[in-house]
Each structure stands twice: as structure tokens, then as C-alpha cells.
Amino acid sequence: MPDIDMNTVLVANRGEIALRIIRACRRLNLRVVCAFSQADRGAPYLQLADQAICIGPAPAVKSYLNIPALIAAAQATGAGLIHPGYGFLSERPEFAEAVEAAGLTLIGPNARVMAQMGDKVQAKRAMIATGVPCVPGPDSVLPDDPEAIRQIARDIGYPVILKAAGGGGGRGMRVVHDDSQLADAFMLTRQEATRFFGNPDIYIEKFLQKPRHVEIQVLADAHGNALWLGDRDCSMQRRHQKMIEEAPAPGIDRALIAQIGERCAASCREIGYVGAGTFEFLYEDGQFFFIEMNTRIQVEHPVTEMVTGLDIVAMQIDVARGNALTVTQDQIVTRGHSIECRINAEDPDSFAPSPGLITAMHIPGGPGIRVDTHVSAGCDIPASYDSMIGKIIAHGADRAEALARIRSALAETSVSGVSTNIPLHLQMLANPGFAEGGVSIHHLEHWLDSRKAQDA
Ligand code: ADP
């Protein structure tokens, strides 16, 4: 076995984020090894790594979610650092623990902080303690007694939302409008929480009716420095999945954002957070309410990179290697506006995945356009994984220019052999509500419903 060295990074992920991490390692002059499953063995991005190592068959549980296989891959290739990307094992404290136990370094927070932020009740408690504003509701799990639950719900005021403490991916949540629905909703949410997340704990908070999703990107080192790198608006969602993201969030008082951003950075220092992370908020009537923290790099990080000019993935790797941040908060300046569209291989009407062979592909370019994709003509999109095949990102001097650029970039893009959601993106970008800016998290689904009603 080779000696483990801190100049080699194992990429424990696939697709566009694997390529993004490879690029960051190149930029930092680090050796990079990319893990792959049998389904990805022909992926062109593997050629860009110094080494590629097979970690198992196509099903994710046997490869990208296989902790022993990934640890063994790092040891066999001498990789002292492991980048988990997003999804897969990126927010699993047991993975962070296994990496630490093997004497390796995960590019992310330690297992303790990851576990704390992964439990939404503990996270909320930590936020309240560090002065980050949260959705009204107790910072503890609900008791079993129906009468006690009813009293808590009444104190908050209907509508309320029941949420699984261990929940994620938009599951394990239920809105309750009055007393009569409460007991059944509690039982159902508890069953789901136990079945999906193995944690029966439920908590309750006010259900906000027309919020926007606004988040703060943070980055912290192991020397007590923490920065906030600006905000993003990710309100264009379908079934809690983000489709379009932008930076900065349009129409929100910058002084208020700075105040929240400073709080998030201070909170990182107080909880001992190291790495890149995102504080997610709901924003309604001029107020921010924390909902959760993601302890990893996010799909939408490029819009922040476009407006700040920073390489967040490289900085994330740098702080994991023990280096101190080299930029200070007053050096972070945001310029212009950026919009990202997530391109999925799926039917633009039914949203059914469309795996298969890409027979031809044209990607856009020109001023202010960035394309993060791992696919090209001749690539096979496996059915085993998420359908996202890339992201098209535009930057402009202002939102109007970013919008104009992303529209023409998408119109220029063509992908043959599989269906994509590009036609849907073009319609969304033409939507007057979105064009105006500041839509709520329900805007996209309402618009899809009205489109369906018109077609019927
Ligand atoms: P997950 O980890 O499953 O993504 P979140 O806590 O981030 O769960 O919530 C996901 C989504 O659910 C939010 O983006 C929002 O659309 C909705 N949601 C969560 N909490 C509330 C709330 N208190 N009021 C209104 N909507 C909420």
C-alpha cells in the first residue's frame, strides 16, 4: 500500500460534481483519484483524474454509498483527503466517523458537527443559541401526549408543520390546519420518520404560507475564521427540488442580508464549523427564518462563484488541508448577478427520467456563460443515478443581463438522444413572475398546475 499523503484527494462521487472537484484539485496542484462504479466506467471525466478506481457495481448502495469500499479506495491509492461532493455520503456522520477512524480527512465538518446539524432539532437549538433567527416553534421534540401537542400547536397558531428531526429530501413533513387534523398527522409523520430516517422524533413549527427560499453560503477554516460569501435565491422548486437558482436574491434589503450573513459566520465560529456550508432560510414579510444547514458543497455553488469570483471548491479543499483562509470578509465583493439552470435528462412534461445515449450535443458559450457538465456526445446516461446532466450558469452586470444571457444560452443548447428539461427552462425563464423576481417557493408548481389546466 502506498503511504497516505495530504496532497492526494479521492473523489467519492460522480458526474458533474466529480469533474468540478477534479478541476479544483488541478488548480491546487493536488493529485486526484476518482472513484467510479461499473456503470460509470466509460465516463470521460475519469480520464482527467490522475487515477480512477472502481468501487463496485452500479447500484449506489454497492458503490457510491459503500463506506468500506471508499475507505479502501483511499488507502489503496494513498489519498489522505476524501471529497464527498453532494448527495450520496456527503452528509452522513457515519461516513465522516469512518474516515476519521481510518486516519483520513473528510473535506467537510467533523462527524460531531455534521451529526449535530443533521438533526434538525439539535440544529435549531444551536441556531437559537447563536442568535440565528428560526421559524417560530419549540427547539425540542414533541412529547407523545396528544393534549400537550395540541397546546403547543395552538400556542404557535395554525397552520403548523410537523417535521421529522432526522428528515431530508423534502420527506417526513406534514402541514396541519386545525386541531382536528393534528393527531392523525402526528401519527403518520412519526411512522414516516421511523421508516425513512430511523428516527421517530418529530418537531413542530409555524407553517409559513408564501415564503421564498434564500440561503447563505459560508466557509470556515480550522483557525477560527469564518466568512459568508453572499446569498442565493432558490425559490424556483418542484417537489422541494430546486430547478433555477440565482445570486443575489432579488429585491431584499442588502443591509438585512449582511446582518444575517454575519450571524451565520459568527454561528460557524461558535459551533466550531469547518468547511463550506449553507444556512437555508425561508424569507417572508421582510424576515428570515432558519430551516436547516447543509454541511457540504451545494449544486448551486457556481452562482456564488460567478458573483464573487471565488473558487469555493478549491477553498473548501484548502481549509480541509488545515490551511487558513487567505481572504477576509471585507475583500468579498459581489459583482452583478448570476442565474443557474439545472439540466436534467428527463421528459419536460412528465418529468420521467430519460436515460440513454447522447448522440449529439452542443453546449453554449460566449460572455458570462459557464457550463458545468460531465457529459458530451457519445456518453451514456446511466439509469441508476440522479438525472441531472449539468448546469448552465450565466453572469451579467445586473439581473436583466444575466436573464438575457441565460435565455440565449439555453436556446443555443441542444442535446440529442435523450430528452432534457431545456424546453421547460425556456418557458420558466419567459414567465413574467420569475422575470420580475422574488417569487415564492410555490410559484413554479402553481405555474405548472395552470399550464396543465390550460392543456386539458
Ligand atoms: P429537507 O431537509 O427535507 O429539504 P427542509 O427543512 O429544508 O427539509 O424543508 C424543505 C422544504 O419544505 C422547504 O424548502 C419549504 O419549501 C418547506 N418547509 C419547511 N419548513 C417549512 C415551514 N416552516 N413553513 C413553510 N414551508 C416549510
Side-chain angles (χ1 to χ4, degrees), residues 200-220:
D201 289 345
I202 304 295
Y203 69 110
I204 188 170
E205 59 189 26
K206 181 86 187 161
F207 178 69
L208 305 176
Q209 313 232 21
K210 278 191 77 178
R212 290 166 62 181
H213 175 116
V214 179
E215 58 188 33
I216 302 282
Q217 174 74 54
V218 293
L219 187 64

Side-chain angles (χ1 to χ4, degrees), residues 443-455:
H443 182 81
L444 175 54
E445 288 194 354
H446 286 166
W447 174 74
L448 287 169
D449 288 346
S450 65
R451 195 180 65 153
K452 214 175 344 171
Q454 273 169 15
D455 291 349

Side-chain angles (χ1 to χ4, degrees), residues 18 118 134 140 149 153 165 174 192 205 209-210 212 257 273 277 283 297 307 314 375 381 407 410 421 443 456:
C134 293
S140 51
I149 298 174
R174 199 162 264 98
E192 264 175 36
E205 59 189 26
Q209 313 232 21
K210 278 191 77 178
R212 290 166 62 181
I257 300 254
Y273 192 85
Y283 173 83
I297 193 73
V307 296
V375 302
I381 300 166
R407 284 189 188 121
L410 280 153
N421 61 350
H443 182 81

